[in-house]
Amino acid sequence: MKLQPDKPTVQTINGYGPGWIAVDAEKFSTSLVLGSRGERQVWECRRYQDLQAVHFATLAEMRPELVLFGSGARLRFPRPEWLQTLVALGIGLETMDTAAACRTYNILAGEGRHVVAALLLETP
């Protein structure tokens, strides 16, 4: 009995490490926004300290049911004022380190959920 397709129908994260993420075999070395409906774009922030409300408002424009915020190598929560647009639209947010966000994105996207992962890759 076959329970899963041989090839996922959504873009997936194939690997990650310090300073890089591979999506469908394409390697990225910048912060990245990845959506289960095909969205893929550079997230214009290099450090957690550079984040602002506008970074999260951009995610809200994609209208996902859930945003996964990968906060870098360690767990750091976004400031409440950054999340006002998401809250106003009823969009959920889960915060975890970037490695955990990569794994969680693959699971949720594979289940057919409309999820967006905002993955912070900090550069020195």
Side-chain angles (χ1 to χ4, degrees):
M1 177 189 310
K2 187 174 183 178
L3 299 176
Q4 300 185 77
D6 291 333
K7 183 176 183 328
T9 57
V10 296
Q11 60 187 346
T12 57
I13 298 172
N14 307 95
Y16 53 86
W20 65 275
I21 296 173
V23 178
D24 292 338
E26 184 178 350
K27 200 168 184 179
F28 294 87
S29 58
T30 61
S31 296
L32 184 66
V33 172
L34 185 65
S36 60
R37 294 192 176 163
E39 305 92 344
R40 187 186 313 178
Q41 63 192 46
V42 171
W43 202 30
E44 298 295 335
C45 52
R46 297 189 196 289
R47 302 176 314 147
Y48 175 85
Q49 295 83 353
D50 296 336
L51 288 169
Q52 299 176 14
V54 67
H55 291 102
F56 291 89
T58 302
L59 304 173
E61 292 173 6
M62 296 178 189
R63 302 292 176 133
E65 60 184 276
L66 179 66
V67 171
L68 300 171
F69 171 50
S71 62
R74 62 187 180 95
L75 179 62
R76 291 172 289 189
F77 292 93
R79 295 183 180 144
E81 61 267 20
W82 297 348
L83 306 177
Q84 291 178 357
T85 305
L86 293 171
V87 171
L89 293 172
I91 298 170
L93 178 111
E94 291 290 333
T95 301
M96 53 199 78
D97 64 49
T98 296
C102 289
R103 294 187 300 269
T104 304
Y105 167 82
N106 281 346
I107 292 167
L108 296 177
E111 292 175 349
R113 304 271 307 270
H114 184 202
V115 62
V116 168
L119 306 169
L120 183 62
L121 286 179
E122 294 180 297
T123 55

PDB file of all heavy atoms in Angstrom, residues 34-64:
ATOM      1  N   LEU A  34      10.009  31.284   2.504  1.00  0.00           N
ATOM      2  CA  LEU A  34       9.634  30.132   1.705  1.00  0.00           C
ATOM      3  C   LEU A  34       8.192  29.779   2.011  1.00  0.00           C
ATOM      4  O   LEU A  34       7.810  29.660   3.172  1.00  0.00           O
ATOM      5  CB  LEU A  34      10.545  28.961   2.073  1.00  0.00           C
ATOM      6  CG  LEU A  34      10.412  27.686   1.299  1.00  0.00           C
ATOM      7  CD1 LEU A  34      10.820  27.902  -0.147  1.00  0.00           C
ATOM      8  CD2 LEU A  34      11.269  26.610   1.934  1.00  0.00           C
ATOM      9  N   GLY A  35       7.370  29.652   0.967  1.00  0.00           N
ATOM     10  CA  GLY A  35       5.963  29.341   1.170  1.00  0.00           C
ATOM     11  C   GLY A  35       5.560  28.035   0.517  1.00  0.00           C
ATOM     12  O   GLY A  35       6.109  27.654  -0.516  1.00  0.00           O
ATOM     13  N   SER A  36       4.589  27.385   1.102  1.00  0.00           N
ATOM     14  CA  SER A  36       4.135  26.095   0.591  1.00  0.00           C
ATOM     15  C   SER A  36       3.368  26.220  -0.724  1.00  0.00           C
ATOM     16  O   SER A  36       3.076  25.222  -1.371  1.00  0.00           O
ATOM     17  CB  SER A  36       3.266  25.390   1.632  1.00  0.00           C
ATOM     18  OG  SER A  36       2.132  26.175   1.943  1.00  0.00           O
ATOM     19  N   ARG A  37       3.051  27.432  -1.131  1.00  0.00           N
ATOM     20  CA  ARG A  37       2.377  27.641  -2.423  1.00  0.00           C
ATOM     21  C   ARG A  37       3.335  28.163  -3.480  1.00  0.00           C
ATOM     22  O   ARG A  37       2.924  28.764  -4.461  1.00  0.00           O
ATOM     23  CB  ARG A  37       1.201  28.601  -2.246  1.00  0.00           C
ATOM     24  CG  ARG A  37       0.113  27.990  -1.383  1.00  0.00           C
ATOM     25  CD  ARG A  37      -1.148  28.775  -1.419  1.00  0.00           C
ATOM     26  NE  ARG A  37      -2.183  28.085  -0.649  1.00  0.00           N
ATOM     27  CZ  ARG A  37      -3.272  28.653  -0.222  1.00  0.00           C
ATOM     28  NH1 ARG A  37      -3.505  29.938  -0.490  1.00  0.00           N
ATOM     29  NH2 ARG A  37      -4.155  27.966   0.470  1.00  0.00           N
ATOM     30  N   GLY A  38       4.628  27.935  -3.252  1.00  0.00           N
ATOM     31  CA  GLY A  38       5.631  28.288  -4.255  1.00  0.00           C
ATOM     32  C   GLY A  38       6.366  29.587  -4.012  1.00  0.00           C
ATOM     33  O   GLY A  38       7.272  29.928  -4.765  1.00  0.00           O
ATOM     34  N   GLU A  39       6.015  30.317  -2.983  1.00  0.00           N
ATOM     35  CA  GLU A  39       6.712  31.570  -2.700  1.00  0.00           C
ATOM     36  C   GLU A  39       8.158  31.265  -2.299  1.00  0.00           C
ATOM     37  O   GLU A  39       8.420  30.355  -1.535  1.00  0.00           O
ATOM     38  CB  GLU A  39       6.043  32.346  -1.559  1.00  0.00           C
ATOM     39  CG  GLU A  39       4.575  32.634  -1.757  1.00  0.00           C
ATOM     40  CD  GLU A  39       3.661  31.571  -1.158  1.00  0.00           C
ATOM     41  OE1 GLU A  39       4.115  30.461  -0.840  1.00  0.00           O
ATOM     42  OE2 GLU A  39       2.471  31.871  -1.019  1.00  0.00           O
ATOM     43  N   ARG A  40       9.064  32.039  -2.851  1.00  0.00           N
ATOM     44  CA  ARG A  40      10.471  31.907  -2.486  1.00  0.00           C
ATOM     45  C   ARG A  40      11.142  33.237  -2.773  1.00  0.00           C
ATOM     46  O   ARG A  40      11.202  33.671  -3.914  1.00  0.00           O
ATOM     47  CB  ARG A  40      11.142  30.815  -3.306  1.00  0.00           C
ATOM     48  CG  ARG A  40      12.560  30.529  -2.851  1.00  0.00           C
ATOM     49  CD  ARG A  40      13.301  29.573  -3.724  1.00  0.00           C
ATOM     50  NE  ARG A  40      12.558  28.370  -4.072  1.00  0.00           N
ATOM     51  CZ  ARG A  40      13.045  27.431  -4.880  1.00  0.00           C
ATOM     52  NH1 ARG A  40      14.231  27.542  -5.408  1.00  0.00           N
ATOM     53  NH2 ARG A  40      12.313  26.364  -5.168  1.00  0.00           N
ATOM     54  N   GLN A  41      11.608  33.900  -1.724  1.00  0.00           N
ATOM     55  CA  GLN A  41      12.254  35.194  -1.904  1.00  0.00           C
ATOM     56  C   GLN A  41      13.258  35.446  -0.797  1.00  0.00           C
ATOM     57  O   GLN A  41      13.161  34.887   0.288  1.00  0.00           O
ATOM     58  CB  GLN A  41      11.211  36.315  -1.926  1.00  0.00           C
ATOM     59  CG  GLN A  41      10.438  36.457  -0.635  1.00  0.00           C
ATOM     60  CD  GLN A  41       9.233  37.370  -0.769  1.00  0.00           C
ATOM     61  OE1 GLN A  41       8.465  37.267  -1.721  1.00  0.00           O
ATOM     62  NE2 GLN A  41       9.056  38.245   0.193  1.00  0.00           N
ATOM     63  N   VAL A  42      14.221  36.283  -1.103  1.00  0.00           N
ATOM     64  CA  VAL A  42      15.198  36.706  -0.103  1.00  0.00           C
ATOM     65  C   VAL A  42      14.473  37.541   0.938  1.00  0.00           C
ATOM     66  O   VAL A  42      13.621  38.377   0.594  1.00  0.00           O
ATOM     67  CB  VAL A  42      16.333  37.516  -0.776  1.00  0.00           C
ATOM     68  CG1 VAL A  42      17.235  38.153   0.251  1.00  0.00           C
ATOM     69  CG2 VAL A  42      17.127  36.611  -1.710  1.00  0.00           C
ATOM     70  N   TRP A  43      14.756  37.301   2.199  1.00  0.00           N
ATOM     71  CA  TRP A  43      14.187  38.101   3.299  1.00  0.00           C
ATOM     72  C   TRP A  43      15.248  39.105   3.676  1.00  0.00           C
ATOM     73  O   TRP A  43      16.326  38.741   4.146  1.00  0.00           O
ATOM     74  CB  TRP A  43      13.827  37.185   4.465  1.00  0.00           C
ATOM     75  CG  TRP A  43      12.804  37.735   5.400  1.00  0.00           C
ATOM     76  CD1 TRP A  43      11.801  38.597   5.111  1.00  0.00           C
ATOM     77  CD2 TRP A  43      12.669  37.433   6.788  1.00  0.00           C
ATOM     78  NE1 TRP A  43      11.037  38.851   6.223  1.00  0.00           N
ATOM     79  CE2 TRP A  43      11.561  38.142   7.268  1.00  0.00           C
ATOM     80  CE3 TRP A  43      13.381  36.623   7.670  1.00  0.00           C
ATOM     81  CZ2 TRP A  43      11.144  38.073   8.592  1.00  0.00           C
ATOM     82  CZ3 TRP A  43      12.961  36.551   8.975  1.00  0.00           C
ATOM     83  CH2 TRP A  43      11.847  37.278   9.432  1.00  0.00           C
ATOM     84  N   GLU A  44      14.991  40.352   3.456  1.00  0.00           N
ATOM     85  CA  GLU A  44      15.987  41.414   3.596  1.00  0.00           C
ATOM     86  C   GLU A  44      16.324  41.734   5.050  1.00  0.00           C
ATOM     87  O   GLU A  44      15.990  42.808   5.553  1.00  0.00           O
ATOM     88  CB  GLU A  44      15.516  42.675   2.862  1.00  0.00           C
ATOM     89  CG  GLU A  44      15.337  42.505   1.376  1.00  0.00           C
ATOM     90  CD  GLU A  44      16.648  42.212   0.646  1.00  0.00           C
ATOM     91  OE1 GLU A  44      17.730  42.584   1.144  1.00  0.00           O
ATOM     92  OE2 GLU A  44      16.581  41.589  -0.427  1.00  0.00           O
ATOM     93  N   CYS A  45      16.985  40.810   5.724  1.00  0.00           N
ATOM     94  CA  CYS A  45      17.510  41.053   7.070  1.00  0.00           C
ATOM     95  C   CYS A  45      18.700  40.131   7.287  1.00  0.00           C
ATOM     96  O   CYS A  45      18.646  38.961   6.940  1.00  0.00           O
ATOM     97  CB  CYS A  45      16.441  40.852   8.135  1.00  0.00           C
ATOM     98  SG  CYS A  45      15.587  39.290   8.042  1.00  0.00           S
ATOM     99  N   ARG A  46      19.756  40.678   7.805  1.00  0.00           N
ATOM    100  CA  ARG A  46      20.985  39.915   8.003  1.00  0.00           C
ATOM    101  C   ARG A  46      21.207  39.514   9.460  1.00  0.00           C
ATOM    102  O   ARG A  46      21.960  38.606   9.730  1.00  0.00           O
ATOM    103  CB  ARG A  46      22.190  40.710   7.527  1.00  0.00           C
ATOM    104  CG  ARG A  46      22.164  41.019   6.058  1.00  0.00           C
ATOM    105  CD  ARG A  46      23.493  41.611   5.633  1.00  0.00           C
ATOM    106  NE  ARG A  46      23.491  42.281   4.369  1.00  0.00           N
ATOM    107  CZ  ARG A  46      23.385  41.700   3.190  1.00  0.00           C
ATOM    108  NH1 ARG A  46      23.224  40.415   3.115  1.00  0.00           N
ATOM    109  NH2 ARG A  46      23.410  42.392   2.086  1.00  0.00           N
ATOM    110  N   ARG A  47      20.552  40.233  10.371  1.00  0.00           N
ATOM    111  CA  ARG A  47      20.724  39.961  11.802  1.00  0.00           C
ATOM    112  C   ARG A  47      19.387  40.109  12.505  1.00  0.00           C
ATOM    113  O   ARG A  47      18.540  40.880  12.072  1.00  0.00           O
ATOM    114  CB  ARG A  47      21.712  40.956  12.435  1.00  0.00           C
ATOM    115  CG  ARG A  47      23.071  40.982  11.817  1.00  0.00           C
ATOM    116  CD  ARG A  47      23.977  42.047  12.407  1.00  0.00           C
ATOM    117  NE  ARG A  47      23.281  43.322  12.533  1.00  0.00           N
ATOM    118  CZ  ARG A  47      23.521  44.200  13.514  1.00  0.00           C
ATOM    119  NH1 ARG A  47      24.412  43.971  14.427  1.00  0.00           N
ATOM    120  NH2 ARG A  47      22.854  45.336  13.562  1.00  0.00           N
ATOM    121  N   TYR A  48      19.224  39.408  13.593  1.00  0.00           N
ATOM    122  CA  TYR A  48      18.000  39.518  14.387  1.00  0.00           C
ATOM    123  C   TYR A  48      17.768  40.977  14.788  1.00  0.00           C
ATOM    124  O   TYR A  48      16.636  41.460  14.755  1.00  0.00           O
ATOM    125  CB  TYR A  48      18.123  38.622  15.628  1.00  0.00           C
ATOM    126  CG  TYR A  48      16.953  38.756  16.564  1.00  0.00           C
ATOM    127  CD1 TYR A  48      15.794  38.010  16.351  1.00  0.00           C
ATOM    128  CD2 TYR A  48      16.994  39.624  17.648  1.00  0.00           C
ATOM    129  CE1 TYR A  48      14.710  38.139  17.195  1.00  0.00           C
ATOM    130  CE2 TYR A  48      15.915  39.749  18.494  1.00  0.00           C
ATOM    131  CZ  TYR A  48      14.774  39.010  18.274  1.00  0.00           C
ATOM    132  OH  TYR A  48      13.705  39.143  19.111  1.00  0.00           O
ATOM    133  N   GLN A  49      18.827  41.673  15.130  1.00  0.00           N
ATOM    134  CA  GLN A  49      18.724  43.069  15.571  1.00  0.00           C
ATOM    135  C   GLN A  49      18.198  43.999  14.477  1.00  0.00           C
ATOM    136  O   GLN A  49      17.738  45.099  14.767  1.00  0.00           O
ATOM    137  CB  GLN A  49      20.092  43.593  16.049  1.00  0.00           C
ATOM    138  CG  GLN A  49      20.615  42.901  17.270  1.00  0.00           C
ATOM    139  CD  GLN A  49      21.329  41.572  16.979  1.00  0.00           C
ATOM    140  OE1 GLN A  49      21.334  41.074  15.851  1.00  0.00           O
ATOM    141  NE2 GLN A  49      21.893  40.975  18.012  1.00  0.00           N
ATOM    142  N   ASP A  50      18.259  43.578  13.233  1.00  0.00           N
ATOM    143  CA  ASP A  50      17.783  44.406  12.112  1.00  0.00           C
ATOM    144  C   ASP A  50      16.291  44.237  11.834  1.00  0.00           C
ATOM    145  O   ASP A  50      15.720  44.970  11.038  1.00  0.00           O
ATOM    146  CB  ASP A  50      18.552  44.057  10.828  1.00  0.00           C
ATOM    147  CG  ASP A  50      20.024  44.376  10.926  1.00  0.00           C
ATOM    148  OD1 ASP A  50      20.404  45.252  11.739  1.00  0.00           O
ATOM    149  OD2 ASP A  50      20.814  43.741  10.202  1.00  0.00           O
ATOM    150  N   LEU A  51      15.652  43.248  12.451  1.00  0.00           N
ATOM    151  CA  LEU A  51      14.235  42.998  12.182  1.00  0.00           C
ATOM    152  C   LEU A  51      13.355  44.149  12.650  1.00  0.00           C
ATOM    153  O   LEU A  51      13.633  44.786  13.666  1.00  0.00           O
ATOM    154  CB  LEU A  51      13.787  41.708  12.872  1.00  0.00           C
ATOM    155  CG  LEU A  51      14.304  40.424  12.242  1.00  0.00           C
ATOM    156  CD1 LEU A  51      14.020  39.249  13.156  1.00  0.00           C
ATOM    157  CD2 LEU A  51      13.694  40.217  10.875  1.00  0.00           C
ATOM    158  N   GLN A  52      12.297  44.384  11.887  1.00  0.00           N
ATOM    159  CA  GLN A  52      11.322  45.431  12.193  1.00  0.00           C
ATOM    160  C   GLN A  52       9.934  44.906  11.833  1.00  0.00           C
ATOM    161  O   GLN A  52       9.788  43.853  11.224  1.00  0.00           O
ATOM    162  CB  GLN A  52      11.621  46.684  11.376  1.00  0.00           C
ATOM    163  CG  GLN A  52      12.974  47.288  11.631  1.00  0.00           C
ATOM    164  CD  GLN A  52      13.240  48.466  10.708  1.00  0.00           C
ATOM    165  OE1 GLN A  52      12.337  48.995  10.067  1.00  0.00           O
ATOM    166  NE2 GLN A  52      14.481  48.876  10.626  1.00  0.00           N
ATOM    167  N   ALA A  53       8.929  45.679  12.183  1.00  0.00           N
ATOM    168  CA  ALA A  53       7.546  45.291  11.897  1.00  0.00           C
ATOM    169  C   ALA A  53       7.315  45.059  10.405  1.00  0.00           C
ATOM    170  O   ALA A  53       6.544  44.177  10.019  1.00  0.00           O
ATOM    171  CB  ALA A  53       6.584  46.353  12.430  1.00  0.00           C
ATOM    172  N   VAL A  54       7.971  45.806   9.557  1.00  0.00           N
ATOM    173  CA  VAL A  54       7.776  45.677   8.109  1.00  0.00           C
ATOM    174  C   VAL A  54       8.163  44.280   7.611  1.00  0.00           C
ATOM    175  O   VAL A  54       7.553  43.758   6.668  1.00  0.00           O
ATOM    176  CB  VAL A  54       8.537  46.785   7.344  1.00  0.00           C
ATOM    177  CG1 VAL A  54      10.038  46.627   7.458  1.00  0.00           C
ATOM    178  CG2 VAL A  54       8.094  46.830   5.895  1.00  0.00           C
ATOM    179  N   HIS A  55       9.151  43.650   8.231  1.00  0.00           N
ATOM    180  CA  HIS A  55       9.547  42.298   7.833  1.00  0.00           C
ATOM    181  C   HIS A  55       8.401  41.306   8.038  1.00  0.00           C
ATOM    182  O   HIS A  55       8.185  40.411   7.216  1.00  0.00           O
ATOM    183  CB  HIS A  55      10.778  41.846   8.619  1.00  0.00           C
ATOM    184  CG  HIS A  55      12.015  42.594   8.251  1.00  0.00           C
ATOM    185  ND1 HIS A  55      12.524  43.599   9.034  1.00  0.00           N
ATOM    186  CD2 HIS A  55      12.824  42.494   7.179  1.00  0.00           C
ATOM    187  CE1 HIS A  55      13.607  44.082   8.456  1.00  0.00           C
ATOM    188  NE2 HIS A  55      13.811  43.423   7.330  1.00  0.00           N
ATOM    189  N   PHE A  56       7.654  41.473   9.111  1.00  0.00           N
ATOM    190  CA  PHE A  56       6.538  40.566   9.401  1.00  0.00           C
ATOM    191  C   PHE A  56       5.273  40.980   8.646  1.00  0.00           C
ATOM    192  O   PHE A  56       4.465  40.124   8.291  1.00  0.00           O
ATOM    193  CB  PHE A  56       6.314  40.484  10.911  1.00  0.00           C
ATOM    194  CG  PHE A  56       7.447  39.780  11.608  1.00  0.00           C
ATOM    195  CD1 PHE A  56       8.542  40.482  12.058  1.00  0.00           C
ATOM    196  CD2 PHE A  56       7.422  38.407  11.764  1.00  0.00           C
ATOM    197  CE1 PHE A  56       9.615  39.837  12.675  1.00  0.00           C
ATOM    198  CE2 PHE A  56       8.483  37.744  12.377  1.00  0.00           C
ATOM    199  CZ  PHE A  56       9.587  38.470  12.832  1.00  0.00           C
ATOM    200  N   ALA A  57       5.109  42.261   8.357  1.00  0.00           N
ATOM    201  CA  ALA A  57       3.970  42.714   7.551  1.00  0.00           C
ATOM    202  C   ALA A  57       4.040  42.130   6.147  1.00  0.00           C
ATOM    203  O   ALA A  57       3.020  41.768   5.561  1.00  0.00           O
ATOM    204  CB  ALA A  57       3.936  44.236   7.510  1.00  0.00           C
ATOM    205  N   THR A  58       5.250  41.988   5.610  1.00  0.00           N
ATOM    206  CA  THR A  58       5.435  41.374   4.297  1.00  0.00           C
ATOM    207  C   THR A  58       4.954  39.926   4.303  1.00  0.00           C
ATOM    208  O   THR A  58       4.343  39.457   3.340  1.00  0.00           O
ATOM    209  CB  THR A  58       6.920  41.433   3.888  1.00  0.00           C
ATOM    210  OG1 THR A  58       7.335  42.797   3.879  1.00  0.00           O
ATOM    211  CG2 THR A  58       7.160  40.818   2.533  1.00  0.00           C
ATOM    212  N   LEU A  59       5.191  39.230   5.403  1.00  0.00           N
ATOM    213  CA  LEU A  59       4.738  37.841   5.520  1.00  0.00           C
ATOM    214  C   LEU A  59       3.213  37.767   5.555  1.00  0.00           C
ATOM    215  O   LEU A  59       2.614  36.866   4.973  1.00  0.00           O
ATOM    216  CB  LEU A  59       5.322  37.201   6.775  1.00  0.00           C
ATOM    217  CG  LEU A  59       6.846  37.220   6.896  1.00  0.00           C
ATOM    218  CD1 LEU A  59       7.271  36.701   8.258  1.00  0.00           C
ATOM    219  CD2 LEU A  59       7.493  36.440   5.764  1.00  0.00           C
ATOM    220  N   ALA A  60       2.590  38.733   6.210  1.00  0.00           N
ATOM    221  CA  ALA A  60       1.131  38.769   6.323  1.00  0.00           C
ATOM    222  C   ALA A  60       0.477  38.928   4.951  1.00  0.00           C
ATOM    223  O   ALA A  60      -0.622  38.409   4.723  1.00  0.00           O
ATOM    224  CB  ALA A  60       0.698  39.893   7.258  1.00  0.00           C
ATOM    225  N   GLU A  61       1.138  39.613   4.030  1.00  0.00           N
ATOM    226  CA  GLU A  61       0.593  39.815   2.687  1.00  0.00           C
ATOM    227  C   GLU A  61       0.391  38.501   1.944  1.00  0.00           C
ATOM    228  O   GLU A  61      -0.423  38.422   1.027  1.00  0.00           O
ATOM    229  CB  GLU A  61       1.506  40.733   1.880  1.00  0.00           C
ATOM    230  CG  GLU A  61       1.528  42.157   2.389  1.00  0.00           C
ATOM    231  CD  GLU A  61       2.572  43.021   1.699  1.00  0.00           C
ATOM    232  OE1 GLU A  61       3.214  42.552   0.727  1.00  0.00           O
ATOM    233  OE2 GLU A  61       2.758  44.165   2.145  1.00  0.00           O
ATOM    234  N   MET A  62       1.114  37.456   2.340  1.00  0.00           N
ATOM    235  CA  MET A  62       0.984  36.150   1.696  1.00  0.00           C
ATOM    236  C   MET A  62      -0.236  35.386   2.195  1.00  0.00           C
ATOM    237  O   MET A  62      -0.589  34.356   1.643  1.00  0.00           O
ATOM    238  CB  MET A  62       2.245  35.324   1.934  1.00  0.00           C
ATOM    239  CG  MET A  62       3.467  35.925   1.314  1.00  0.00           C
ATOM    240  SD  MET A  62       4.903  34.910   1.705  1.00  0.00           S
ATOM    241  CE  MET A  62       6.193  35.971   1.104  1.00  0.00           C
ATOM    242  N   ARG A  63      -0.862  35.873   3.263  1.00  0.00           N
ATOM    243  CA  ARG A  63      -2.074  35.308   3.851  1.00  0.00           C
ATOM    244  C   ARG A  63      -1.978  33.804   4.180  1.00  0.00           C
ATOM    245  O   ARG A  63      -2.898  33.033   3.872  1.00  0.00           O
ATOM    246  CB  ARG A  63      -3.280  35.544   2.951  1.00  0.00           C
ATOM    247  CG  ARG A  63      -3.559  36.995   2.647  1.00  0.00           C
ATOM    248  CD  ARG A  63      -4.015  37.723   3.893  1.00  0.00           C
ATOM    249  NE  ARG A  63      -4.189  39.142   3.599  1.00  0.00           N
ATOM    250  CZ  ARG A  63      -5.229  39.841   3.944  1.00  0.00           C
ATOM    251  NH1 ARG A  63      -6.185  39.291   4.644  1.00  0.00           N
ATOM    252  NH2 ARG A  63      -5.293  41.104   3.645  1.00  0.00           N
ATOM    253  N   PRO A  64      -0.877  33.376   4.821  1.00  0.00           N
ATOM    254  CA  PRO A  64      -0.818  31.966   5.209  1.00  0.00           C
ATOM    255  C   PRO A  64      -1.676  31.718   6.440  1.00  0.00           C
ATOM    256  O   PRO A  64      -2.102  32.651   7.115  1.00  0.00           O
ATOM    257  CB  PRO A  64       0.665  31.773   5.562  1.00  0.00           C
ATOM    258  CG  PRO A  64       1.062  33.105   6.116  1.00  0.00           C
ATOM    259  CD  PRO A  64       0.300  34.118   5.271  1.00  0.00           C
TER     260      PRO A  64
END
